[in-house]
Amino acid sequence: RTFAMQTNTTTNPNADTSPSHRRHRSMPGTVRKVQTAVAASPRTSADKPIPDQEDKKRASKLTSIRAFFGGSSSSLNGSVDDNINDGHTVEIQYNAARNEKLDKALAQPAIDLKTLKDLSWFGVPDHHRAKVWQYLLAYLPPTPDRQKTTLEAKRKEYRECVSEYFNVSDNDRTTYQMAMLKQINVDAPRTTPDLPVFHTHKMQTSLIRVLYIWAIRHPASGYVQGINDLAVPFLLVFLSTVAPVSSYAQEVSEIDNISDEQLLDIEADAYWCVSNMLQGIQDNYTFAQPGIQRMVFKLRELVVRLDANLHRHLESHGIEIMHFGFRWMNCLLIRELPMRLVLRLWDTYLSEAEQFATLHVYLCAALLIKWSAHLQTLDFQDLMLFIQNLPTKNWEPSDMDTLISQAYMWRQLFESSPSHLVSQ
């Protein structure tokens, strides 16, 4: 996933721009995303692209499709060139071709995790997401002969934890455990208020159990507000394996048809996946949350370097990056984005493994700077209201792709040259 081809072709007259060199040096699909990100300047608040930008987006889709197939569009139904003026058709064909590759990767006798990560980085179809996430988090073994026994063992262990830690009398809990359970019971109803399914009795109980057992088994951090948000995508995705994907986010009737045993399996899978994900960011939730402090500090450095005018405007109104950056790091933007886009974002994050926390900081910078022009017209009260209620509700997956690409590009440019990030 290198952007050498994109940058060198404009700055280095000796750069090799042959098709074979482009295919070797560029990441499939990245051309479309980066060119779109550059065309839509992060300092422009307009959401609708101008005609010239739309043409560039359509052309870049063709480029990405050719790169994806090694320079040929013959794997698609019909001619992509004939459809270049129909951006929607091109997008559908590209996604269908990418999904076909993912189908083939998942049908192999042994899963090639590198291939799976590369394909998942650009998004995973709903019907594959549960299994793919389990592979990416090393919860599910890549060889089929071990998968059944592994799942049975992990789910059995979780059930034992429920019996040992949760299904006990309050008299058997310590004062600390009682206080922790009380806080979880307060936070659970506040979690994802826009998803009705999480406000049914069954799902509230599941969320509380997962959070409490995780906290008991991780005494270095215990329960910290924010972890409740991180459990939601996993519960939602694994719930989709037994409830229709089209209805689980809006309708609650299907939940009544899920048996207690099915629900415990969903909880177990969510618990282990949350645990594996948090291993890389454990210090985000230990005493004083040093991991988050470092991430917010780096976000400030990025904003200073990438948009000094915006940073000065925020400071002139008494707004520090910490005022909103803490929540962005603590909850991984779950409260800032609609859930369908959170799932898309996490496809990329889980493909990044231990590197996702770094990418997240750059993505937060891209998200803030996207609204730069508008933010610089606001005073303190309106600034805080806007930042705490970003207008992302109607975003499409393509908006998320553009943001991810911008973040990836900045990470490639700055991460290996930290001297460029010098606070002013």
Side-chain angles (χ1 to χ4, degrees), residues 137-141 146-162 217 264-265 267-273 275-276 279:
L137 286 164
Y139 173 57
L140 200 62
R146 295 175 49 212
Q147 290 177 6
K148 183 179 179 180
T149 55
T150 298
L151 285 179
E152 288 176 350
K154 288 294 187 181
R155 290 169 176 175
K156 179 183 177 182
E157 184 177 350
Y158 178 79
R159 282 171 167 79
E160 291 172 351
C161 290
V162 171
R217 288 172 60 98
L264 280 170
D265 286 344
E267 283 180 41
D269 295 344
Y271 168 81
W272 291 112
C273 286
S275 299
N276 290 355
Q279 282 181 359

Side-chain angles (χ1 to χ4, degrees), residues 1 116-124 129 132-133 136-137 230 233-234 276-278 280-281 284-285 295 328-334 336-337 341-367 400-401 403-405 407-408 411:
R1 301 190 183 104
L116 186 62
K117 288 178 181 179
D118 289 343
L119 293 171
S120 301
W121 201 92
F122 299 101
V124 178
R129 186 169 280 125
V132 168
W133 281 17
L136 295 177
L137 286 164
L230 304 188
F234 291 112
N276 290 355
M277 182 182 183
L278 291 180
I281 54 173
N284 283 16
Y285 305 102
M295 293 171 75
W328 289 13
M329 306 305 168
N330 193 46
C331 304
L332 297 181
L333 294 177
I334 287 177
E336 279 61 48
L337 299 169
L341 297 186
V342 170
L343 301 184
R344 164 63 193 95
L345 177 60
W346 280 32
D347 291 339
T348 298
Y349 280 0
L350 299 185
S351 300
E352 289 271 324
E354 67 277 1
Q355 297 297 321
F356 89 86
T358 303
L359 181 64
H360 180 71
V361 177
Y362 285 90
L363 189 127
C364 289
L367 180 64
M400 194 74 254
D401 290 342
L403 205 66
I404 293 171
S405 298
Y408 180 85
R411 188 182 68 175

Side-chain angles (χ1 to χ4, degrees), residues 142-338:
T143 52
D145 58 319
R146 295 175 49 212
Q147 290 177 6
K148 183 179 179 180
T149 55
T150 298
L151 285 179
E152 288 176 350
K154 288 294 187 181
R155 290 169 176 175
K156 179 183 177 182
E157 184 177 350
Y158 178 79
R159 282 171 167 79
E160 291 172 351
C161 290
V162 171
S163 299
E164 182 178 355
Y165 302 126
F166 192 82
N167 295 338
V168 297
S169 168
D170 287 345
N171 295 328
D172 296 327
R173 305 186 203 272
T174 66
T175 302
Y176 171 74
Q177 291 171 345
M178 284 295 297
M180 188 163 56
L181 183 58
K182 179 180 178 181
Q183 186 61 55
I184 292 172
N185 277 295
V186 169
D187 290 346
R190 301 172 179 172
T191 306
T192 57
D194 56 334
L195 292 179
V197 69
F198 271 93
H199 298 276
T200 61
H201 176 71
K202 276 190 173 183
M203 293 310 299
Q204 282 286 294
T205 302
S206 290
L207 179 60
I208 291 169
R209 276 199 296 245
V210 168
L211 295 174
Y212 183 73
I213 293 171
W214 189 91
I216 291 292
R217 288 172 60 98
H218 296 81
S221 61
Y223 172 70
V224 178
Q225 288 176 314
I227 297 178
N228 54 316
D229 293 274
L230 304 188
V232 168
F234 291 112
L235 285 169
L236 200 57
V237 167
F238 299 142
L239 178 64
S240 71
T241 62
V242 295
V245 173
S246 60
S247 66
Y248 66 73
Q250 300 298 330
E251 303 293 336
V252 298
S253 58
E254 293 289 340
I255 303 301
D256 294 333
N257 298 326
I258 299 176
S259 69
D260 292 340
E261 287 302 305
Q262 285 178 312
L263 200 58
L264 280 170
D265 286 344
I266 291 168
E267 283 180 41
D269 295 344
Y271 168 81
W272 291 112
C273 286
V274 167
S275 299
N276 290 355
M277 182 182 183
L278 291 180
Q279 282 181 359
I281 54 173
Q282 183 87 28
D283 60 349
N284 283 16
Y285 305 102
T286 55
F287 178 73
Q289 299 181 265
I292 290 180
Q293 301 285 346
R294 289 193 299 271
M295 293 171 75
V296 173
F297 180 78
K298 188 164 187 175
L299 175 60
R300 179 186 179 279
E301 288 186 317
L302 282 170
V303 176
V304 169
R305 177 66 178 84
L306 295 166
D307 197 334
N309 289 336
L310 174 59
H311 182 259
R312 282 192 292 270
H313 181 74
L314 294 175
E315 281 201 329
S316 70
H317 288 281
I319 294 178
E320 297 288 341
I321 300 295
M322 182 64 76
H323 291 166
F324 56 88
F326 186 90
R327 187 174 86 174
W328 289 13
M329 306 305 168
N330 193 46
C331 304
L332 297 181
L333 294 177
I334 287 177
R335 300 184 189 182
E336 279 61 48
L337 299 169

Side-chain angles (χ1 to χ4, degrees), residues 106-118:
L106 292 173
Q108 297 301 310
I111 303 298
D112 184 336
L113 291 178
K114 182 181 182 303
T115 298
L116 186 62
K117 288 178 181 179
D118 289 343

Side-chain angles (χ1 to χ4, degrees), residues 1-6 25-37 60 63-65 67-68 94 121-122 401 405-406 408-409:
R1 301 190 183 104
T2 173
F3 283 77
M5 187 276 287
Q6 271 73 25
R25 296 290 291 167
S26 64
M27 175 175 55
T30 298
V31 179
R32 170 177 62 84
K33 295 180 175 66
V34 175
Q35 288 182 344
T36 303
S60 64
T63 306
S64 66
I65 291 172
F68 188 69
Y94 171 70
W121 201 92
F122 299 101
D401 290 342
S405 298
Q406 180 69 78
Y408 180 85
M409 182 174 67

Side-chain angles (χ1 to χ4, degrees), residues 26-81:
S26 64
M27 175 175 55
T30 298
V31 179
R32 170 177 62 84
K33 295 180 175 66
V34 175
Q35 288 182 344
T36 303
V38 174
S41 169
R43 299 195 182 192
T44 301
S45 59
D47 288 329
K48 294 184 178 180
I50 59 177
D52 181 58
Q53 291 174 335
E54 193 64 38
D55 291 342
K56 289 179 180 178
K57 288 173 69 176
R58 289 171 178 167
S60 64
K61 286 175 182 177
L62 175 61
T63 306
S64 66
I65 291 172
R66 284 174 170 161
F68 188 69
F69 289 103
S72 170
S73 60
S74 60
S75 299
L76 298 174
N77 293 327
S79 171
V80 176
D81 297 274

